[in-house]
Amino acid sequence: MPNKLLKQALSGQNPARMWRDHDLKDSYDVVIIGGGAHGLACAYYLARHHGLTNVAVLEKRYIGSGGSGRNTTIIRSNYLTPEGVRFYDESVKLYEQMSAEFDFNVMFSRRGHLTLAHTDGAVRTMRRRAEVNQLQGVDSRLIWPEEIKRLCPPIDVSDHPRYPILGALYHPPGGIIRHDAVVWGYAHHADRLGVHIHQLTEVTGIAVQGERVTGVQTNRGFIKTGVVLNATAGWCTTIADMAGVKLPITTFPLQACVTEPLKPFLDVIIVSGSLHVYVSQSDRGELVMGASVDPFASYSMNGSLAFVENLAGHMLELFPGLRHVRVLRQWAGLCDMTPDFSPVMGVTPVAGFLVDVGWGTWGFKASPVSGKRMAELIATGRTPDLIHPFRLSRFYENDLVGEKGAASVGH
Ligand code: PYC
């Protein structure tokens, strides 16, 4: 890599663009709405695995400007239901091999993921998750304060805090990654395979004739197409409404923040549902932290003082030694919450209009698997077994996939 950089510098030539701009064609085989990691992954797998390259990805701002660039990059598969564990496990595996597949360092860092239990009820839930995980072949186990302290020396496992730590679900495969690199990697390879990525292209309407999608209206013109994938976050219900499809989703802001860089001291990911906090240390040394969604439905992406104050209080219960550390910046993203805390993927009552939505606070980690499996559905017309449990019709068939107990923090 240094040789490549040196050659490039000496050649005086600009590096090749990661992805290119194109004129908007008046027709595509597939139109994907949303230029985040999900939409770009789907475009990439359509082209790479199925040879479908007459594909447009429409992004109203710049790629990765939504949830893909606003999350805290945690990757894990320690879910509560067998359906959830199997699905996220495939995603973890795709993330593990991503740098090799792209020949581009996406900085995946396997850290180990600890979900702390502060009550007997939480210990029971962690035990159940560990057993479900193990039955699906996923490495997770219940551990106790002595081992927690060994894995994470700065954490307070004494009985001094208001909510002492009783145990934890330990999930060694859990990791973090550079989220921009994931977006750029998918964009670059989709572009090279012939996909058109259109930034600053906003969808203003979806044409439906006789219960079948026929096109998409944008601020740059009309596109004729028979297949539209709604891969948006924050505005997924607005887009679905344009096709006449109702989604059982409510949107909430989720805030996060980072501290100034510190010397490396935390090489595991720590999550506490009871204290509403999760934290990891990035490769730059910053502590990347978040909590649960704001307690009101809104499209606001403003940060609030209340969030930082609460988060700091809870962080200090776990790590009293951090009291002098300064918060550097904070931000918010939008989370589309479903009633069972699982996503919605697949077909809708409108033929040709598909959804990959409802990603709440768990979407980024699923980008590779949802992209791969939605591409398979689009290309073959058959719903893959792995995403069948997450179909829209489950809400009318009383067949929910309840994952609230595996959300990182209480909601
Ligand atoms: O589901 O791992 C997770 C998560 C981390 C931050 C928000 N959600």
Side-chain angles (χ1 to χ4, degrees):
M1 186 54 103
N3 278 347
K4 215 157 123 188
L5 280 177
L6 196 63
K7 257 202 229 149
Q8 207 173 337
L10 295 175
S11 75
Q13 283 169 359
N14 289 330
R17 295 277 304 274
M18 291 278 282
W19 58 89
R20 293 158 295 182
D21 294 328
H22 297 275
D23 291 336
L24 196 70
K25 293 203 295 185
D26 55 14
S27 124
Y28 287 96
D29 294 337
V30 180
V31 170
I32 298 173
I33 309 175
H38 280 244
L40 291 164
C42 182
Y44 167 74
Y45 290 112
L46 277 171
R48 163 118 304 157
H49 290 176
H50 305 283
L52 283 174
T53 57
N54 187 23
V55 174
V57 178
L58 310 183
E59 167 53 50
K60 75 171 174 174
R61 298 178 65 207
Y62 57 91
I63 62 168
S65 54
S68 300
R70 294 165 185 275
N71 62 86
T72 45
T73 83
I74 295 172
I75 291 166
R76 63 184 176 96
S77 59
N78 55 357
Y79 277 73
L80 182 62
T81 66
E83 297 86 346
V85 176
R86 280 195 290 272
F87 175 75
Y88 291 99
D89 184 42
E90 180 164 293
S91 219
V92 171
K93 291 182 172 134
L94 288 165
Y95 269 128
E96 283 169 347
Q97 67 200 39
M98 191 175 276
S99 290
E101 178 162 354
F102 288 169
D103 191 20
F104 174 66
N105 190 358
V106 290
M107 294 172 73
F108 176 69
S109 176
R110 184 178 162 133
R111 297 286 175 96
H113 182 282
L114 285 162
T115 314
L116 305 175
H118 305 260
T119 64
D120 291 342
V123 171
R124 269 196 303 278
T125 305
M126 297 313 151
R127 191 187 299 282
R128 187 171 146 203
R129 279 171 69 181
E131 287 182 8
V132 173
N133 286 197
Q134 286 163 20
L135 284 169
Q136 298 303 321
V138 165
D139 188 3
S140 292
R141 63 193 165 85
L142 193 56
I143 61 170
W144 308 107
E146 207 180 287
E147 190 172 355
I148 297 172
K149 188 75 180 167
R150 233 186 3 260
L151 287 164
C152 183
I155 204 164
D156 185 355
V157 293
S158 73
D159 57 6
H160 299 156
R162 267 186 314 162
Y163 302 106
I165 297 169
L166 303 184
L169 179 70
Y170 177 40
H171 176 54
I176 54 174
I177 201 162
R178 179 72 199 271
H179 49 192
D180 299 319
V182 172
V183 170
W184 299 337
Y186 276 126
H188 175 70
H189 287 279
D191 173 276
R192 289 303 177 269
L193 290 165
V195 168
H196 283 188
I197 296 170
H198 296 293
Q199 303 184 101
L200 299 175
T201 304
E202 183 166 359
V203 171
T204 54
I206 296 179
V208 176
Q209 276 170 15
E211 297 296 295
R212 163 157 278 293
V213 96
T214 54
V216 172
Q217 184 64 50
T218 78
N219 59 339
R220 293 171 58 198
F222 185 79
I223 305 170
K224 206 165 139 236
T225 184
V227 182
V228 175
L229 172 63
N230 177 0
T232 59
W235 288 271
C236 74
T237 48
T238 312
I239 296 290
D241 276 349
M242 292 176 187
V245 172
K246 293 285 167 222
L247 298 174
I249 283 174
T250 312
T251 301
F252 293 80
L254 179 69
Q255 300 190 46
C257 63
V258 292
T259 65
E260 60 190 328
L262 306 169
K263 280 191 183 160
F265 75 98
L266 181 66
D267 61 4
V268 285
I269 301 158
I270 297 288
V271 175
S272 167
S274 309
L275 292 181
H276 301 287
V277 64
Y278 38 86
V279 57
S280 66
Q281 188 169 23
S282 75
D283 294 323
R284 281 199 295 237
E286 299 163 335
L287 295 179
V288 182
M289 304 179 289
S292 36
V293 294
D294 286 353
F296 42 82
S298 157
Y299 290 97
S300 157
M301 282 196 262
N302 293 334
S304 70
L305 183 59
F307 160 76
V308 199
E309 279 180 341
N310 284 327
L311 184 80
H314 293 147
M315 273 294 291
L316 293 182
E317 291 196 44
L318 296 175
F319 299 101
L322 295 179
R323 65 191 172 282
H324 296 303
V325 174
R326 283 169 295 196
V327 169
L328 208 64
R329 59 180 188 279
Q330 68 184 109
W331 67 93
L334 296 178
C335 295
D336 294 330
M337 308 302 293
T338 59
D340 61 357
F341 287 66
S342 282
V344 189
M345 282 176 279
V347 298
T348 70
V350 174
F353 182 71
L354 295 97
V355 288
D356 171 21
V357 297
W359 286 103
T361 61
W362 50 85
F364 177 73
K365 64 176 64 56
S367 311
V369 63
S370 63
K372 178 176 163 189
R373 297 302 179 172
M374 286 303 300
E376 186 181 336
L377 166 57
I378 291 169
T380 65
R382 286 187 304 277
T383 300
D385 291 346
L386 212 54
I387 64 172
H388 177 75
F390 306 108
R391 67 203 178 280
L392 177 59
S393 63
R394 76 178 185 272
F395 296 104
Y396 315 108
E397 294 160 358
N398 197 17
D399 194 17
L400 303 186
V401 189
E403 284 291 5
K404 188 166 184 182
S408 262
V409 285
H411 291 287

